[in-house]
Each structure stands twice: as structure tokens, then as C-alpha cells.
Amino acid sequence: MEKYVIWYRLWLKAYWKKPSHWLQVLGMAALLFVVFGISLPDGRNVTVGICYGADVYAERIARELEEGDGVFSFRIYDKEEELYRDVTAGKAECGFLFLEGFDGKMESGDLEESITYICTPMTVKGEVARETLYAALLGIRSEGILKRGEAEIYGDVMPERTKRLLEQNRFFLEGNRIFRVETEELEELEELEPAQAGETTEPSGTGEAAGAAERGVWESGGQVYPMQGVFGIFLFLIMFLAYGRKFEAGGYAVEKALAGMQRHIYGYTGCLAAGTLPAAVGILMLFVLDGGKGMGLVWETVFLFPFLAVSAAWITVVCGFLRDGSAFLSGAVVVTVAQLLVCPVFVDAGTYLPALKYVGCLFPVGIYLRLHGLLP
């Protein structure tokens, strides 16, 4: 055992003196900073921003949406710049900007280009939010239509009749005569029975189920770990490329002088040493970028040890079947792309095709990220 520790220390000293190794570490650090600035959609995010000026109708619509009990949480912004910033940063799913002169457009009935819809390519609930806003707008606009149409239909305007028409309009808008929704609490999804004709059954607690895990980022396809995923792939790639020394001139001389199992252990300790410095730097960066949460550092460190061990073993076994440098470089590209696609880095492909969850666990990065999903 002492011999293996000496091998590891010698490998560590060799990588410590390599400028190219430090460049790889700096590249990883720069990439983590870039990924940290990327905003991915949160599947639980139902915040919709609204910004309006001095128009009375716009304020009325905004207040009605804000005080409603629908699926979305509408937030009123005082400044247009703040609305754009939160939508771009992913804090709001989308936003609506009422343009100046909205009251006049409501009175005239010409609403063309009166509201600006703000979204990003990552927006997934924007269309539903647009319909929600349109329903509120139509409810308020219908009052003006009734008032203008009363004289055309009845030939005159009577305050009592106008009041009654508006009351009936509000009754149909807020009542359940047209749309009826019944909510049932279900313990198991299998117990869901077909809803009766003309009724919509909506299981309660759906929102809570979607937010079971708190670590990582929720997007439309499941839970992903962009920071940890990029860190894991880059660290794995550094270890993988370090093993490529055997294809250099004289790079395999020491292994040839060793017996069978000793040869593999020597290569294994080399992979571990190649990943030690990048792992330490990456853990510190995740800790700093995560806001300095102590338990976050503890868990990341705990998960990192099996990741390094499994990665070194995986690389030692797989690279043993590669016979030349071209096959090695091709394998590095294929393995990196495969882990990026099947592991929950930016998209959890296992949500759409469950078998890919098991395929992802064949790779070290997939195991590393799935361990994060086990946290309460």
C-alpha cells in the first residue's frame, strides 16, 4: 500500500509542475464562471411580471391578476428595465408591458400593439400566461362593450338596466355556469377515475409534487445540475486526457516494466493525481458561487470522492481497449458528448425516455449527478 501512495505522490508532483495542467484548471474555472451566469428555466417558476404606466384600465387588469387565485403569480413592476432584467435572468417566466395610451385603446376598442409580451427562448408557460391575461382583459372590456351596445340594442340607456347587465356579466365571468371545475384529493395516481361529462377534475398538490427536490435547477424536462455537471465533465475529461500519455513516445515505458495488475494500478494512481488539483479548485469554486453554504461544500466533497475513484477506474478499464492515439482522441470526444447528452447537465433526457436514466449511470458523471438527486 505504501508503494501506491508513493506513486500517487510522484504523479501529483509531476502534474503540479506541468504548465499545461494549470491551464486546464484555469479553463475549467473560467467555464464554471460562464455557466454560473447562465439562467435555465425553473419548472416551478410561475411568476409573471406586469408593468404599466398611468393608465387606469392597465392598473385594473394588473390588480385583478395580482389578487387572483390562478396558477400564475403575477408581480407588478414599477420600472420597465426591472421587468426585462428579471425575465432575462429567469426570475420571471415572462412579462407584459402595457404601452402608454392603453386607456384610449380600450375606449376605442382598437387594442392592436397595445401590450408588449416579453419572453426568452426558454419560456415554456408563456402561451398560457397570455391567455390568462387576455381573459382578464376581455372581462373588463366586456363591460364597455355592454355599455356601448345597450343603446344600439334597446334604443336608449337606463341606469337600472345598465347595472343589471353589468351584474349579469360579472356573474357569468366569475361563476361556474359555463366552466365548472371540481378538485379531488388523490393519494395514488392509479385511483384517478374518469371525470364526469362536462366536468374537469384537477388533482390537488400537483405543484408540491413538482418541487420535491430543492437542489439543482428545475427546467421543463426535469431536474438538472448545470454547475456540477460541467464541473464533472471537465474534471473527467482532464483525467481522461492525462491517461493519453501512454500513446506518447516513451510514455508507456514504466507500465511495460510492471506486472499485470501493478501496471493497471500505476495508471489508476496517475488518473487520480491528474484529477486532484482540478477537483480541489472546482470544489472551492462551487462553494463560492453557491453563496458559501457550508453543507453544500460538505456534500460536494462527499460526492467527489466516489466520483474520482469511479472515474479513474472507468478510464483505466476503457482506455485499456484503445490501441492508438487516434482511437483515444475519438473516444474522448464520443464519451464527452455522450455524457453531456444522457446525463442531467442541461437537460434531463431521462424524463422523456426513462431508459436513458440507466444509460447515464453507466458513466461516472451520470452517477455523480444522480447522487445529488438523492439529497432531501
Side-chain angles (χ1 to χ4, degrees):
M1 186 65 181
E2 183 179 356
K3 176 172 59 176
Y4 304 146
V5 174
I6 294 175
W7 286 353
Y8 174 77
R9 290 174 59 187
L10 291 176
W11 274 119
L12 199 59
K13 185 180 295 185
Y15 284 116
W16 185 271
K17 295 180 179 180
K18 275 189 175 183
S20 60
H21 191 66
W22 283 98
L23 288 176
Q24 291 176 334
V25 174
L26 291 176
M28 181 189 69
L31 186 58
L32 287 177
F33 270 117
V34 172
V35 175
F36 178 71
I38 298 176
S39 298
L40 292 180
D42 187 343
R44 298 170 295 174
N45 185 12
V46 291
T47 300
V48 177
I50 299 180
C51 182
Y52 59 89
D55 295 286
V56 177
Y57 279 113
E59 180 180 3
R60 185 177 171 186
I61 294 173
R63 295 299 178 186
E64 183 171 317
L65 291 172
E66 184 185 31
E67 297 170 1
D69 56 353
V71 174
F72 293 101
S73 175
F74 288 89
R75 177 184 174 187
I76 297 178
Y77 289 79
D78 296 326
K79 296 181 180 179
E80 177 181 339
E81 296 78 11
E82 294 179 357
L83 175 59
Y84 274 99
R85 184 180 65 247
D86 279 7
V87 173
T88 304
K91 295 180 180 179
E93 178 71 9
C94 59
F96 298 97
L97 175 62
F98 288 84
L99 302 183
E100 188 177 351
F102 182 77
D103 283 354
K105 289 182 174 292
M106 283 286 287
E107 293 292 345
S108 64
D110 181 14
L111 293 173
E112 186 175 354
E113 297 183 358
S114 59
I115 303 176
T116 299
Y117 170 58
I118 305 170
C119 68
T120 67
M122 297 290 190
T123 300
V124 294
K125 312 180 192 73
E127 293 298 324
V128 181
R130 290 172 63 176
E131 294 297 328
T132 303
L133 181 137
Y134 180 73
L137 185 149
L138 185 61
I140 294 176
R141 189 186 175 196
S142 62
E143 296 180 359
I145 295 175
L146 282 174
K147 291 178 181 179
R148 290 193 299 269
E150 182 183 1
E152 298 177 6
I153 297 173
Y154 295 100
D156 60 352
V157 176
M158 296 177 57
E160 186 65 27
R161 184 199 300 137
T162 303
K163 180 181 178 181
R164 191 163 58 251
L165 288 173
L166 294 177
E167 288 177 352
Q168 287 295 313
N169 178 62
R170 181 60 59 180
F171 171 76
F172 282 109
L173 288 175
E174 298 180 352
N176 61 355
R177 288 294 185 89
I178 300 177
F179 299 103
R180 181 179 178 184
V181 178
E182 289 188 0
T183 303
E184 296 181 8
E185 294 186 4
L186 304 176
E187 295 183 1
E188 298 292 340
L189 187 61
E190 295 82 48
E191 297 179 5
L192 178 64
E193 296 183 347
Q196 298 179 357
E199 299 179 355
T200 302
T201 304
E202 178 183 336
S204 64
T206 306
E208 290 81 358
E214 296 181 359
R215 293 182 60 84
V217 180
W218 281 91
E219 46 92 59
S220 57
Q223 192 178 18
V224 296
Y225 305 89
M227 289 290 294
Q228 292 87 348
V230 170
F231 166 58
I233 288 178
F234 209 105
L235 179 57
F236 176 86
L237 185 59
I238 289 175
M239 298 172 66
F240 194 95
L241 294 178
Y243 198 88
R245 76 193 182 282
K246 65 177 290 185
F247 300 107
E248 300 175 357
Y252 197 55
V254 177
E255 280 91 335
K256 287 183 178 180
L258 297 172
M261 183 54 66
Q262 299 290 316
R263 180 184 307 167
H264 296 304
I265 296 177
Y266 183 80
Y268 180 84
T269 57
C271 284
L272 283 180
T276 299
L277 178 60
V281 174
I283 282 293
L284 290 177
M285 287 198 61
L286 290 177
F287 174 67
V288 173
L289 296 177
D290 195 34
K293 298 177 182 177
M295 286 305 296
L297 178 64
V298 171
W299 281 116
E300 293 295 345
T301 305
V302 169
F303 293 152
L304 186 62
F305 284 113
F307 173 67
L308 287 174
V310 171
S311 295
W314 197 95
I315 292 170
T316 303
V317 173
V318 171
C319 289
F321 295 97
L322 304 178
R323 299 305 176 188
D324 54 60
S326 60
F328 173 79
L329 293 177
S330 300
V333 174
V334 171
V335 171
T336 301
V337 173
Q339 292 189 105
L340 189 62
L341 293 178
V342 302
C343 301
V345 180
F346 294 106
V347 176
D348 187 3
T351 302
Y352 308 104
L353 189 60
L356 291 180
K357 289 186 177 181
Y358 303 101
V359 175
C361 290
L362 298 177
F363 298 96
V365 175
I367 298 173
Y368 174 60
L369 297 182
R370 294 299 177 187
L371 285 176
H372 285 79
L374 298 178
L375 288 178

